[in-house]
Amino acid sequence: MWAQAQPNIALVKYWGKSNIARNLPAVGSLSITLDGLYSRMSVEILDDPGADSLTVNGDENTELLARVSGCIDLITGNERGAARVRSETNFPVAAGLASSASAFAALVTATYECVGKTADTLTKARIAGSVSGSAARSLYGGFVELSAGVEDIDVWPIADAQDWPLKVVVAVTEPEPKPVSSGEAMIRGAETSPFYDSWVERQPEDLTAARTAVENRDFEQLAAVSEHNCLKMHTVMWTSRPPIVYWNSATLACMEAVRELQKKSEPVFFTIDAGPQLKAVCLPSAEETVRDTLAGIDGVVEIHSSGLGLGARVLEGS
Ligand code: DP6
């Protein structure tokens, strides 16, 4: 039995933790769940105790194993048999493409199914989010908002994928895993960036602007607030000590290309996460032009095009 979840791309970003031990985000966020990329997880719990194992696309993976085991424990308790976890993805892992989001959303869904327990989606989202903050949003499809409470997070869908079928073109400029994990980078930013406090303080106004833009299907407003929020997050990263710069020259070339398309009135904007890949969000009418333009840039090694999709689910009959 397999469960599947898709990555989500935040337009208003999660960056910073209010409680590191519980992995509670310091700010709310708003995202879109993709449909073209996926993580699939299969969990089997043996009768006998022993070491858990994890394979990703057929290869043994020890790096993610501790987080995977810990996540399963949150659902089953730790007095359990050894878990055999298999993961399949159709995109690069740990390269700023939200692979942990789809992986942990799928893992929580697969584990509940494996042990025959039920829970509502918010409960599952909270468990996934306690392992990787952005994973909470991949439990839901379409447009998703997450609010950072003091005790726990709340997550809910604000519009379905088909309500506003945006497209996302992902330009991969470096498929290798990133040097600093987002969790580590955001802790460093909170401790050392002089701009961190104002980042947190100003987040509610960006969330309101983005939510209103989604409600009104106002692409221009969504573009403006998303690019602004992304660049503010990267400002916190750049001004951390030591600094964290995830971009490379191809990332910048992609940004410039998006700016050129905007000058020609193409409905497109960019966002960039903790990695050098650029995500161009556009209306369907611009998808082909955006794709062709980004594919032609030196240093772009892969292009993925995607619509918006569903939340995490069990793949029936798998
Ligand atoms: C830049 O969810 O990977 O993608 O909670 O430490 O696992 P942890 O962080 P993670 O951070 C995602 C950061 C981001 C922005 C976002 O997705 O909102």
Side-chain angles (χ1 to χ4, degrees), residues 83-95:
R84 296 275 170 272
V85 183
R86 284 176 297 158
S87 168
E88 302 284 338
T89 65
N90 66 345
F91 63 98
V93 174

Side-chain angles (χ1 to χ4, degrees), residues 95-310:
L97 276 178
S99 57
S100 69
S102 48
F104 288 108
L107 178 65
V108 168
T109 307
T111 305
Y112 269 100
E113 185 68 13
C114 162
V115 298
K117 275 192 181 180
T118 52
D120 58 27
T121 311
L122 179 59
T123 303
K124 292 178 185 168
R126 285 176 167 165
I127 292 175
S130 72
V131 185
S132 184
S134 54
R137 299 184 309 238
S138 274
L139 265 299
Y140 299 87
F143 296 77
V144 180
E145 186 166 352
L146 182 152
S147 92
V150 181
E151 288 302 319
D152 217 328
I153 53 167
D154 272 312
V155 202
W156 64 98
I158 58 171
D160 289 339
Q162 67 269 22
D163 291 340
W164 199 16
L166 301 181
K167 299 287 180 188
V168 181
V169 178
V170 181
V172 177
T173 65
E174 173 57 75
E176 291 303 312
K178 56 197 169 208
V180 186
S181 74
S182 36
E184 189 186 329
M186 58 179 92
I187 292 168
R188 190 188 299 174
E191 285 169 355
T192 61
S193 169
F195 301 125
Y196 180 76
D197 289 345
S198 86
W199 156 256
V200 173
E201 209 175 291
R202 305 288 294 268
Q203 191 78 338
E205 66 196 67
D206 287 2
L207 281 167
T208 302
R211 190 186 313 118
T212 312
V214 172
E215 278 163 11
N216 298 334
R217 317 284 188 263
D218 183 339
F219 190 82
E220 249 176 66
Q221 182 174 333
L222 189 63
V225 67
S226 302
E227 289 191 355
H228 175 66
N229 189 268
C230 163
L231 292 174
K232 276 197 300 193
M233 177 184 75
H234 285 275
T235 302
V236 172
M237 297 172 180
W238 283 40
T239 52
S240 297
R241 288 189 157 173
I244 298 153
V245 178
Y246 285 114
W247 303 354
N248 58 34
S249 53
T251 320
L252 277 165
C254 289
M255 279 169 79
E256 208 177 312
V258 170
R259 287 271 180 263
E260 289 302 316
L261 290 171
Q262 289 170 337
K263 279 189 205 153
K264 294 181 195 149
S265 301
E266 291 290 351
V268 58
F269 65 86
F270 66 79
T271 188
I272 305 163
D273 291 299
Q277 336 304 356
L278 180 131
K279 290 107 185 189
V281 181
C282 61
L283 292 179
S285 60
E287 186 186 14
E288 209 180 310
T289 309
V290 170
R291 202 189 154 95
D292 290 350
T293 305
L294 294 178
I297 290 175
D298 264 358
V300 171
V301 292
E302 269 176 52
I303 288 273
H304 298 272
S305 237
S306 171
L308 306 190
L310 299 173

Side-chain angles (χ1 to χ4, degrees), residues 53-65 85-89 93:
S53 69
L54 167 70
T55 59
V56 179
N57 293 334
D59 297 330
E60 201 80 27
N61 183 306
T62 47
E63 234 160 81
L64 266 184
L65 183 61
V85 183
R86 284 176 297 158
S87 168
E88 302 284 338
T89 65
V93 174

